[in-house]
Amino acid sequence: MSLAPSTSGTMKAFRGKLHFPIIMLCTIAFVSLLYTERISILLSSNPFFKIKSCSKRGSVIKNEVTLEKLRGKRLLFVGDSLQRGQWQSLVCMVESIIPEDQKSIRRGRAHTVFKAKEYNASIEFYWAPFLVESNSDLHIIGNPKERILKVDSIAKHAQHWEGVDILVFNTYVWWMSGYTIKSYWGSFPNGEEGYEELEAPAAYRIALKTWANWVDSNVNPNKTRVFFTTMSPTHMRSADWENPEGMRCFNETKPFLKKGFWGTGSDKRVMRAVAEVLKRMKFPVLVLNITQMSNHRVDAHTKVYTETGGKLLTDEQKADVLHNSDCIHWCLPGVPDTWNQIFLAHL
């Protein structure tokens, strides 16, 4: 089954000048620039999100249907900050119809749980940016050159995934640093000094096989559904969408609608690895193919309306749009809401 670019977004089963309206559209949702991201700020000090978009999102009927689908179930999103954005999008969709005394949230460094008590349902997020283990899982190492991955080790994370009814995985952007990946597996006599440096797609493929083996060996398809979200595109090079004078995604205000557009922020080698590894799995993973449709949304990133190190950008930082425009994460409401509509249609 191919994962070739598709505009449908359906799932396949295997075996300079600020545009101020953006401020209104782009509610900031605990997102950080990729290499300075801190997961200790998953949520604000308020028990629920201090985000206007959470109060009026979607129709009441749709949200009730979503909660009914989740009644008596645990839904867990696993992955990086893009996956966290999808988790937050879904929580924002449903929380407004739940009375205050019927919902709760428990924050953790890696695992955060939103509960809808009346429905005995939870929508959870678990931080594992590579899915496999690394020395940068909780204590983030900002310099990608210093990160080391255990590409054949997943148990430390996977113990938190057991017994879940619906699992949604992703991993991509942390692999795309532009450097080789320091990887080790098996038993090396010198411990972490025994790593090998691999090209990102090769290391990614090994890690994905580790994840696939865990799913095949530990998840019961009669009790648990597993989804895999394909890569979330980045838009760092404006020449990709025929705007050579642009500054990344900054000041982009509408989608780039050229048919079949595929930017340099989406690595087709990774897409092929996903297709080939999942095709060989025994477990029927459902693939949420969001890459092609998200590629067109050069306008939908948080840009300078973001935060770093837990703080919103200062006016001085916002003025340096070339270095501080976040063209990785997405505004909410926005693109992740569309991912969730597709996901829920297949739930």
Side-chain angles (χ1 to χ4, degrees), residues 100-114:
E100 291 294 327
D101 63 349
Q102 291 296 312
K103 57 190 174 185
S104 66
I105 194 157
R106 176 176 56 81
R107 297 175 290 173
R109 286 182 59 80
H111 190 192
T112 298
V113 180
F114 171 84

PDB file of all heavy atoms in Angstrom, residues 100-114:
ATOM      1  N   GLU A 100     -17.528  22.150  34.513  1.00  0.00           N
ATOM      2  CA  GLU A 100     -16.250  22.283  35.188  1.00  0.00           C
ATOM      3  C   GLU A 100     -15.974  21.144  36.163  1.00  0.00           C
ATOM      4  O   GLU A 100     -14.847  20.664  36.281  1.00  0.00           O
ATOM      5  CB  GLU A 100     -16.176  23.624  35.931  1.00  0.00           C
ATOM      6  CG  GLU A 100     -16.111  24.839  35.021  1.00  0.00           C
ATOM      7  CD  GLU A 100     -14.813  24.888  34.228  1.00  0.00           C
ATOM      8  OE1 GLU A 100     -13.774  24.445  34.758  1.00  0.00           O
ATOM      9  OE2 GLU A 100     -14.844  25.351  33.071  1.00  0.00           O
ATOM     10  N   ASP A 101     -17.014  20.715  36.870  1.00  0.00           N
ATOM     11  CA  ASP A 101     -16.794  19.663  37.872  1.00  0.00           C
ATOM     12  C   ASP A 101     -16.747  18.263  37.264  1.00  0.00           C
ATOM     13  O   ASP A 101     -16.594  17.277  37.984  1.00  0.00           O
ATOM     14  CB  ASP A 101     -17.869  19.727  38.959  1.00  0.00           C
ATOM     15  CG  ASP A 101     -19.266  19.457  38.422  1.00  0.00           C
ATOM     16  OD1 ASP A 101     -19.435  19.428  37.177  1.00  0.00           O
ATOM     17  OD2 ASP A 101     -20.190  19.278  39.230  1.00  0.00           O
ATOM     18  N   GLN A 102     -16.878  18.182  35.934  1.00  0.00           N
ATOM     19  CA  GLN A 102     -16.856  16.883  35.264  1.00  0.00           C
ATOM     20  C   GLN A 102     -15.624  16.706  34.382  1.00  0.00           C
ATOM     21  O   GLN A 102     -15.573  15.800  33.553  1.00  0.00           O
ATOM     22  CB  GLN A 102     -18.121  16.704  34.415  1.00  0.00           C
ATOM     23  CG  GLN A 102     -19.387  16.545  35.234  1.00  0.00           C
ATOM     24  CD  GLN A 102     -19.349  15.273  36.073  1.00  0.00           C
ATOM     25  OE1 GLN A 102     -19.034  14.190  35.584  1.00  0.00           O
ATOM     26  NE2 GLN A 102     -19.661  15.398  37.359  1.00  0.00           N
ATOM     27  N   LYS A 103     -14.641  17.577  34.573  1.00  0.00           N
ATOM     28  CA  LYS A 103     -13.408  17.439  33.791  1.00  0.00           C
ATOM     29  C   LYS A 103     -12.211  17.765  34.676  1.00  0.00           C
ATOM     30  O   LYS A 103     -12.320  18.517  35.652  1.00  0.00           O
ATOM     31  CB  LYS A 103     -13.419  18.366  32.571  1.00  0.00           C
ATOM     32  CG  LYS A 103     -13.622  19.847  32.889  1.00  0.00           C
ATOM     33  CD  LYS A 103     -13.852  20.644  31.617  1.00  0.00           C
ATOM     34  CE  LYS A 103     -14.206  22.097  31.949  1.00  0.00           C
ATOM     35  NZ  LYS A 103     -14.541  22.865  30.738  1.00  0.00           N
ATOM     36  N   SER A 104     -11.092  17.166  34.352  1.00  0.00           N
ATOM     37  CA  SER A 104      -9.883  17.402  35.122  1.00  0.00           C
ATOM     38  C   SER A 104      -8.679  17.225  34.224  1.00  0.00           C
ATOM     39  O   SER A 104      -8.774  16.625  33.137  1.00  0.00           O
ATOM     40  CB  SER A 104      -9.788  16.427  36.303  1.00  0.00           C
ATOM     41  OG  SER A 104      -9.623  15.093  35.841  1.00  0.00           O
ATOM     42  N   ILE A 105      -7.549  17.750  34.674  1.00  0.00           N
ATOM     43  CA  ILE A 105      -6.322  17.561  33.916  1.00  0.00           C
ATOM     44  C   ILE A 105      -5.173  17.365  34.891  1.00  0.00           C
ATOM     45  O   ILE A 105      -5.079  18.050  35.910  1.00  0.00           O
ATOM     46  CB  ILE A 105      -6.060  18.742  32.956  1.00  0.00           C
ATOM     47  CG1 ILE A 105      -4.993  18.372  31.939  1.00  0.00           C
ATOM     48  CG2 ILE A 105      -5.694  20.003  33.698  1.00  0.00           C
ATOM     49  CD1 ILE A 105      -5.047  19.199  30.677  1.00  0.00           C
ATOM     50  N   ARG A 106      -4.348  16.392  34.581  1.00  0.00           N
ATOM     51  CA  ARG A 106      -3.169  16.105  35.402  1.00  0.00           C
ATOM     52  C   ARG A 106      -1.934  16.270  34.529  1.00  0.00           C
ATOM     53  O   ARG A 106      -1.772  15.616  33.509  1.00  0.00           O
ATOM     54  CB  ARG A 106      -3.220  14.678  35.958  1.00  0.00           C
ATOM     55  CG  ARG A 106      -1.980  14.277  36.732  1.00  0.00           C
ATOM     56  CD  ARG A 106      -2.136  12.889  37.340  1.00  0.00           C
ATOM     57  NE  ARG A 106      -2.441  11.863  36.354  1.00  0.00           N
ATOM     58  CZ  ARG A 106      -1.528  11.278  35.574  1.00  0.00           C
ATOM     59  NH1 ARG A 106      -0.257  11.651  35.640  1.00  0.00           N
ATOM     60  NH2 ARG A 106      -1.894  10.330  34.718  1.00  0.00           N
ATOM     61  N   ARG A 107      -1.074  17.160  34.951  1.00  0.00           N
ATOM     62  CA  ARG A 107       0.114  17.468  34.175  1.00  0.00           C
ATOM     63  C   ARG A 107       1.296  16.641  34.638  1.00  0.00           C
ATOM     64  O   ARG A 107       1.458  16.375  35.823  1.00  0.00           O
ATOM     65  CB  ARG A 107       0.463  18.954  34.303  1.00  0.00           C
ATOM     66  CG  ARG A 107      -0.591  19.890  33.747  1.00  0.00           C
ATOM     67  CD  ARG A 107      -0.230  21.325  34.024  1.00  0.00           C
ATOM     68  NE  ARG A 107      -0.355  21.657  35.448  1.00  0.00           N
ATOM     69  CZ  ARG A 107       0.036  22.801  35.976  1.00  0.00           C
ATOM     70  NH1 ARG A 107       0.609  23.707  35.210  1.00  0.00           N
ATOM     71  NH2 ARG A 107      -0.132  23.047  37.256  1.00  0.00           N
ATOM     72  N   GLY A 108       2.131  16.275  33.712  1.00  0.00           N
ATOM     73  CA  GLY A 108       3.357  15.574  34.035  1.00  0.00           C
ATOM     74  C   GLY A 108       4.452  15.991  33.083  1.00  0.00           C
ATOM     75  O   GLY A 108       4.191  16.581  32.037  1.00  0.00           O
ATOM     76  N   ARG A 109       5.685  15.683  33.429  1.00  0.00           N
ATOM     77  CA  ARG A 109       6.801  16.061  32.550  1.00  0.00           C
ATOM     78  C   ARG A 109       6.704  15.370  31.198  1.00  0.00           C
ATOM     79  O   ARG A 109       7.032  15.957  30.165  1.00  0.00           O
ATOM     80  CB  ARG A 109       8.127  15.717  33.224  1.00  0.00           C
ATOM     81  CG  ARG A 109       8.501  16.642  34.357  1.00  0.00           C
ATOM     82  CD  ARG A 109       9.852  16.266  34.946  1.00  0.00           C
ATOM     83  NE  ARG A 109      10.928  16.308  33.961  1.00  0.00           N
ATOM     84  CZ  ARG A 109      11.553  17.420  33.553  1.00  0.00           C
ATOM     85  NH1 ARG A 109      11.180  18.591  34.060  1.00  0.00           N
ATOM     86  NH2 ARG A 109      12.528  17.368  32.674  1.00  0.00           N
ATOM     87  N   ALA A 110       6.236  14.134  31.190  1.00  0.00           N
ATOM     88  CA  ALA A 110       6.128  13.407  29.927  1.00  0.00           C
ATOM     89  C   ALA A 110       4.687  13.022  29.603  1.00  0.00           C
ATOM     90  O   ALA A 110       4.338  12.904  28.429  1.00  0.00           O
ATOM     91  CB  ALA A 110       6.992  12.149  29.967  1.00  0.00           C
ATOM     92  N   HIS A 111       3.863  12.848  30.617  1.00  0.00           N
ATOM     93  CA  HIS A 111       2.528  12.287  30.421  1.00  0.00           C
ATOM     94  C   HIS A 111       1.485  13.233  31.022  1.00  0.00           C
ATOM     95  O   HIS A 111       1.510  13.523  32.220  1.00  0.00           O
ATOM     96  CB  HIS A 111       2.455  10.916  31.098  1.00  0.00           C
ATOM     97  CG  HIS A 111       1.223  10.140  30.779  1.00  0.00           C
ATOM     98  ND1 HIS A 111       0.853   9.000  31.461  1.00  0.00           N
ATOM     99  CD2 HIS A 111       0.242  10.324  29.841  1.00  0.00           C
ATOM    100  CE1 HIS A 111      -0.269   8.529  30.957  1.00  0.00           C
ATOM    101  NE2 HIS A 111      -0.658   9.319  29.975  1.00  0.00           N
ATOM    102  N   THR A 112       0.577  13.703  30.194  1.00  0.00           N
ATOM    103  CA  THR A 112      -0.488  14.603  30.630  1.00  0.00           C
ATOM    104  C   THR A 112      -1.836  13.989  30.272  1.00  0.00           C
ATOM    105  O   THR A 112      -2.012  13.469  29.169  1.00  0.00           O
ATOM    106  CB  THR A 112      -0.330  15.987  29.965  1.00  0.00           C
ATOM    107  OG1 THR A 112       0.915  16.555  30.376  1.00  0.00           O
ATOM    108  CG2 THR A 112      -1.454  16.925  30.375  1.00  0.00           C
ATOM    109  N   VAL A 113      -2.774  14.063  31.215  1.00  0.00           N
ATOM    110  CA  VAL A 113      -4.055  13.367  31.068  1.00  0.00           C
ATOM    111  C   VAL A 113      -5.212  14.333  31.281  1.00  0.00           C
ATOM    112  O   VAL A 113      -5.335  14.955  32.345  1.00  0.00           O
ATOM    113  CB  VAL A 113      -4.173  12.204  32.077  1.00  0.00           C
ATOM    114  CG1 VAL A 113      -5.511  11.489  31.913  1.00  0.00           C
ATOM    115  CG2 VAL A 113      -3.009  11.230  31.925  1.00  0.00           C
ATOM    116  N   PHE A 114      -6.061  14.455  30.262  1.00  0.00           N
ATOM    117  CA  PHE A 114      -7.332  15.184  30.378  1.00  0.00           C
ATOM    118  C   PHE A 114      -8.437  14.151  30.530  1.00  0.00           C
ATOM    119  O   PHE A 114      -8.517  13.204  29.747  1.00  0.00           O
ATOM    120  CB  PHE A 114      -7.586  16.033  29.132  1.00  0.00           C
ATOM    121  CG  PHE A 114      -8.963  16.645  29.081  1.00  0.00           C
ATOM    122  CD1 PHE A 114      -9.233  17.840  29.731  1.00  0.00           C
ATOM    123  CD2 PHE A 114      -9.985  16.012  28.393  1.00  0.00           C
ATOM    124  CE1 PHE A 114     -10.504  18.399  29.702  1.00  0.00           C
ATOM    125  CE2 PHE A 114     -11.261  16.569  28.347  1.00  0.00           C
ATOM    126  CZ  PHE A 114     -11.512  17.759  29.006  1.00  0.00           C
TER     127      PHE A 114
END
